[in-house]
């Protein structure tokens, strides 16, 4: 990490309060002991795609699904929001929500490609930001003494976990599309953090039944070193898009133990996607010093957090 990152700790801490971290399912050390990924749990995660594999058109379509989460439930049910119309082949299934934390997400399917989409809403109101600043110490999820999560993000996800499990099982896998076992989890901002936790948890909930992808936008750091290290055991494919100098991916601070999961895709430039430069970063280091981590704190931008893949994220 660059030397100036240490001096930026207080600045970052003032921007985002950090919740106490809590246990997460990452109890596994067999990848450091020569065992195959997931062998101990009876499921196998396929080898991640080539690090150079970044499909812009596919990522734009996932971005539309991510940003649709900012739209009203009514427009989602009718699939009539602006983002919905950009991906008309996707069929709405249902929502998950919690009034206390204002956590909100929806599930949809693409019957043609047999894909299930799970999209989480980012921060658009005061309760959401309270979640970001929460200091509640969350309970253990499973016996996982090493991996730790930001408790505010974890708490928000737990509020909709059971709803999501039931929705996927009853309305998708045993309902609308039993063969829709490829699951793409997405979100922007706080929604991206929830998506990151959800993607890992889906392996716990459904085992080897699913092929799980995480494609998200402007994700804050969500867990510690052990969380980052063990993430590939649970999630088959990950692309974490960071737009230019977006401030949110630099929070919570690296210096207090939080780490990003791989693989970052750093987009630079303004305007539509054909004007953007995309850099696929390290497949082994979520804190690639040649990508967004190279941005000095004085250049961090809130505005860059509001536009991804050439689209204003919260406009429905």
């Amino acid at each position: 990490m660059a030397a100036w990152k240490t001096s930026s700790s207080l600045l970052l801490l003032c921007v985002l309060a950090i919740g106490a971290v809590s246990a997460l399912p990452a109890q596994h050390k067999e990848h450091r002991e020569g065992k195959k990924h997931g062998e101990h749990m009876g499921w196998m995660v396929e080898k991640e795609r080539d690090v150079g594999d970044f499909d812009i058109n596919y990522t734009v379509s996932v971005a539309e699904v991510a940003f649709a989460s900012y739209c009203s439930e009514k427009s989602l049910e009718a699939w009539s929001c602006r983002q919905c119309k950009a991906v008309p082949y996707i069929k709405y299934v249902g929502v998950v929500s919690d009034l206390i934390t204002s956590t909100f997400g929806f599930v949809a399917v693409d019957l043609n490609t047999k894909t299930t989409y799970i999209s989480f809403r980012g921060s658009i109101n005061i309760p959401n930001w309270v979640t970001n600043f929460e200091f509640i110490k969350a309970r253990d999820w499973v016996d996982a003494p090493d991996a730790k999560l930001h408790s505010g993000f974890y708490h928000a996800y737990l509020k909709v976990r059971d709803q999501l499990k039931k929705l996927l099982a009853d309305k998708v896998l045993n309902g609308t599309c039993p063969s829709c076992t490829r699951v793409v989890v997405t979100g922007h901002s706080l929604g991206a953090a929830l998506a990151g936790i959800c993607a890992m948890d889906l392996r716990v909930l459904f085992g080897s039944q699913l092929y799980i992808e995480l494609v998200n936008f402007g994700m804050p750091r969500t867990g510690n070193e052990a969380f980052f290290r063990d993430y590939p055991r649970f999630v088959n494919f990950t692309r974490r898009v960071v737009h230019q100098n977006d401030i949110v991916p630099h929070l919570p601070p690296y210096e207090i133990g939080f780490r990003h999961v791989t693989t970052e895709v750093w987009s630079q430039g303004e305007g539509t996607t054909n004007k953007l430069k995309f850099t696929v970063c390290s497949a082994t280091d979520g804190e690639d010093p040649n990508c967004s981590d190279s941005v000095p704190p004085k250049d961090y931008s809130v505005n860059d957090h509001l536009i991804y893949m050439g689209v204003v994220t919260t406009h429905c």
Side-chain angles (χ1 to χ4, degrees):
M1 303 295 292
W4 46 258
K5 278 196 172 286
T6 300
S7 64
S8 69
S9 296
L10 290 178
L11 168 65
L12 294 175
L13 284 167
C14 290
V15 178
L16 181 68
I18 307 306
V21 291
S22 58
L24 175 94
Q27 63 271 39
H28 327 300
K29 298 181 180 179
E30 74 274 13
H31 70 299
R32 295 184 294 279
E33 299 169 354
K35 294 183 181 179
K36 295 179 181 179
H37 287 181
E39 187 175 31
H40 67 290
M41 292 183 67
W43 51 263
M44 300 295 291
V45 172
E46 298 177 24
K47 181 180 179 181
E48 183 170 336
R49 300 173 187 172
D50 188 330
V51 69
D53 177 17
F54 178 64
D55 187 328
I56 295 176
N57 291 332
Y58 166 68
T59 306
V60 169
S61 68
V62 177
E64 298 289 5
V65 177
F67 305 153
S69 64
Y70 287 106
C71 301
S72 69
E73 184 175 347
K74 183 177 180 180
S75 68
L76 291 173
E77 290 176 352
W79 207 244
S80 60
C81 65
R82 181 190 63 76
Q83 292 88 342
C84 304
K85 293 177 180 177
V87 284
Y89 45 84
I90 291 177
K91 180 180 179 180
Y92 167 87
V93 174
V95 302
V96 295
S97 64
D98 176 69
L99 292 177
I100 296 175
T101 60
S102 292
T103 304
F104 179 88
F106 71 88
V107 175
V109 295
D110 180 350
L111 298 177
N112 295 319
T113 61
K114 307 302 181 185
T115 302
T116 299
Y117 289 90
I118 302 173
S119 177
F120 288 96
R121 178 180 290 170
S123 301
I124 60 173
N125 58 26
I126 292 175
N128 273 169
W129 285 113
V130 168
T131 297
N132 284 353
F133 282 79
E134 191 177 27
F135 275 89
I136 296 175
K137 183 176 181 180
R139 63 174 176 80
D140 290 354
W141 185 355
V142 296
D143 183 20
D146 295 330
K148 307 292 182 181
L149 277 177
H150 180 286
S151 67
F153 301 153
Y154 184 36
H155 176 67
Y157 171 70
L158 287 180
K159 287 293 186 179
V160 298
R161 183 182 191 241
D162 290 343
Q163 296 176 48
L164 181 62
K165 179 182 178 181
K166 182 175 176 57
L167 188 60
L168 284 176
D170 295 351
K171 296 295 182 67
V172 179
L173 300 176
N174 294 311
T176 305
C177 188
S179 58
C180 289
T181 55
R182 176 194 179 202
V183 180
V184 178
V185 193
T186 189
H188 166 256
S189 191
L190 168 63
L194 300 180
I197 297 170
C198 174
M200 197 169 185
D201 189 36
L202 288 176
R203 186 67 67 199
V204 176
L205 294 174
F206 293 95
S208 60
Q209 183 178 3
L210 305 179
Y211 180 92
I212 304 165
E213 299 186 19
L214 175 71
V215 181
N216 64 20
F217 308 88
M219 180 182 184
R221 294 186 180 102
T222 305
N224 67 350
E225 177 77 22
F227 173 74
F228 145 73
R229 188 175 59 239
D230 285 308
Y231 202 78
R233 302 174 179 283
F234 295 81
V235 182
N236 298 86
F237 176 80
T238 302
R239 288 293 178 266
R240 180 176 58 79
V241 183
V242 177
H243 179 223
Q244 205 149 259
N245 296 358
D246 183 355
I247 187 174
V248 171
H250 298 283
L251 305 170
Y254 177 95
E255 293 82 0
I256 62 173
F258 285 84
R259 300 290 184 270
H260 270 305
V261 299
T262 56
T263 296
E264 176 186 350
V265 176
W266 191 25
S267 71
Q268 296 168 273
E270 303 290 348
T272 56
T273 52
N274 63 336
K275 297 180 180 179
L276 299 177
K277 173 188 175 183
F278 295 93
T279 302
V280 180
C281 308
S282 172
T284 59
D285 184 1
E287 304 290 344
D288 189 337
N290 298 310
C291 288
S292 64
D293 267 10
S294 65
V295 178
K298 66 181 180 64
D299 292 334
Y300 291 169
S301 168
V302 172
N303 288 337
D304 283 350
H305 185 61
L306 304 178
I307 301 177
Y308 267 82
M309 307 305 290
V311 178
V312 178
T313 58
T314 58
H315 285 187
C316 290

